Amino acid sequence: MKSIQSPKITILVAWVIVLLTSLLPKIILQEVFKQTVSLDTQSIMSLSVIAVGFLVTLIWQPLRGLRPFLILLAVLVGSQWLVYNRIDELPFYRTWLRNPSFNVSMLAEQSLNLMVALVVIAALLLMRKKFSDFYLAKGDIAAPAEPVRWMGIKQGDRWNKLGLILTICISLGTLAFLVIAGRPPLDIVIRALPFLPAILLAAALNAFYEEVTYKATLLSVLESPVGARQALYMVAVYFGIWHFYGIPYGVVGVLLATFLGWILAKSMQETRGLFWAWFIHFWQDVWIFSFLAIGSITPGG
């Protein structure tokens, strides 16, 4: 992966936009100043940053390369606001989302994610024309991997081997954490087996949604103006910050999600496709959704 030389001011402005449109402002307001931030407020803040950034690119020509990134970011923020703050409030969706059945509620939630992903893909087709331009392709699953000494990735290693190793390590690591944190009784685990088809579908849809919206699409519009390496870091940090309120909570969650975002985005850049990022994420989500299904079962019920 060769890094494209980009003006430092372009990289700096892109970093500011990435951070200000991530969950960082909300985290600071809620955790430091104890101010509750709604999705409406968060969306307004992000769209304001995007609007100011776009205006600056019109005035300052050296930053015009950031326009596709800003347009896509506006589409992402706007579609998330519409889907998660308006469509999910429709009566029939509220009924589905509040349904006690894991099969109904989880697939309703994933259908909302799919809406956002499809809107973003539609925007990219208008901007980029080809699916392969924004990594929506299988890619070369045996492509060479760029060496990373501290991870043990050596010169000559390829993604057909590395991808399988990462899939096993990340999925088993996730399973170990969930088992230690949850320790579900064996009888409830067995009772959750009928949920397996819904678990697999939810995992497949969620992995697709997150890899497309938070990594592939942003990489595709950031690589040209800021360079491949900086784009990789930006996408990883953006993805990581969005997991502050996830499991595990807080800084630890952000660090783990940032690493995961980096390695999955790295797989996209080096294979020029979505396969390994989706596949690794899918198996991690299988365990996560399995435990959500287990948690939906009432003991003794």
Side-chain angles (χ1 to χ4, degrees):
M1 178 181 65
K2 296 182 179 180
S3 180
I4 300 171
Q5 294 299 317
S6 303
K8 291 182 179 180
I9 187 62
T10 303
I11 295 173
L12 176 61
V13 170
W15 267 112
V16 170
I17 293 169
V18 165
L19 294 175
L20 291 181
T21 56
S22 70
L23 210 61
L24 185 60
K26 177 176 180 175
I27 294 170
I28 294 173
L29 288 171
Q30 292 193 161
E31 303 301 319
V32 178
F33 297 101
K34 308 304 178 184
Q35 299 292 319
T36 302
V37 179
S38 67
L39 181 56
D40 276 338
T41 302
Q42 180 185 320
S43 300
I44 290 171
M45 291 191 299
S46 294
L47 289 172
S48 298
V49 171
I50 294 167
V52 171
F54 194 83
L55 180 61
V56 171
T57 66
L58 295 177
I59 299 171
W60 198 359
Q61 288 300 304
L63 296 178
R64 65 183 180 274
L66 291 176
R67 290 176 195 167
F69 165 58
L70 290 164
I71 292 171
L72 183 66
L73 206 52
V75 171
L76 175 59
V77 172
S79 61
Q80 287 177 327
W81 171 84
L82 178 63
V83 170
Y84 302 135
N85 208 38
R86 290 296 182 269
I87 293 178
D88 75 340
E89 291 294 333
L90 295 174
F92 65 91
Y93 250 112
R94 296 314 301 166
T95 300
W96 292 342
L97 291 168
R98 292 171 180 169
N99 193 294
S101 169
F102 174 85
N103 288 343
V104 176
S105 61
M106 185 51 63
L107 294 182
E109 181 179 319
Q110 293 308 318
S111 71
L112 294 172
N113 290 343
L114 184 59
M115 288 182 202
V116 175
L118 292 177
V119 170
V120 172
I121 289 171
L124 280 163
L125 287 173
L126 292 174
M127 295 167 60
R128 293 271 177 162
K129 307 302 183 185
K130 297 179 181 178
F131 285 106
S132 58
D133 288 335
F134 51 92
Y135 301 103
L136 199 57
K138 182 179 179 181
D140 180 5
I141 62 174
E146 183 176 329
V148 181
R149 186 177 302 174
W150 62 270
M151 283 188 66
I153 303 176
K154 307 180 297 298
Q155 188 73 37
D157 285 348
R158 291 185 170 272
W159 273 101
N160 54 343
K161 177 183 177 181
L162 177 61
L164 289 175
I165 293 173
L166 288 171
T167 300
I168 294 170
C169 292
I170 291 173
S171 62
L172 289 183
T174 300
L175 176 61
F177 172 81
L178 292 169
V179 169
I180 293 171
R183 297 183 181 179
L186 181 60
D187 64 310
I188 293 184
V189 173
I190 295 173
R191 287 168 58 193
L193 289 177
F195 293 135
L196 185 57
I199 289 168
L200 295 175
L201 181 56
L205 290 174
N206 190 69
F208 177 78
Y209 161 71
E210 292 199 7
E211 294 311 310
V212 168
T213 56
Y214 292 112
K215 300 185 192 74
T217 58
L218 296 180
L219 274 178
S220 70
V221 289
L222 276 172
E223 286 177 324
S224 178
V226 304
R229 194 172 299 277
Q230 286 294 327
L232 181 61
Y233 296 152
M234 290 178 192
V235 166
V237 170
Y238 187 80
F239 180 74
I241 292 174
W242 275 98
H243 286 75
F244 182 88
Y245 293 110
I247 300 174
Y249 173 91
V251 175
V252 173
V254 170
L255 292 176
L256 291 174
T258 297
F259 168 74
L260 181 64
W262 173 75
I263 196 68
L264 297 186
K266 173 178 162 65
S267 78
M268 290 182 194
Q269 284 188 331
E270 294 174 6
T271 66
R272 308 311 296 178
L274 196 70
F275 176 78
W276 282 118
W278 175 84
F279 189 77
I280 294 168
H281 198 151
F282 166 74
W283 283 108
Q284 181 189 35
D285 278 353
V286 166
W287 295 121
I288 293 173
F289 286 115
S290 294
F291 274 73
L292 289 175
I294 291 169
S296 71
I297 299 173
T298 303

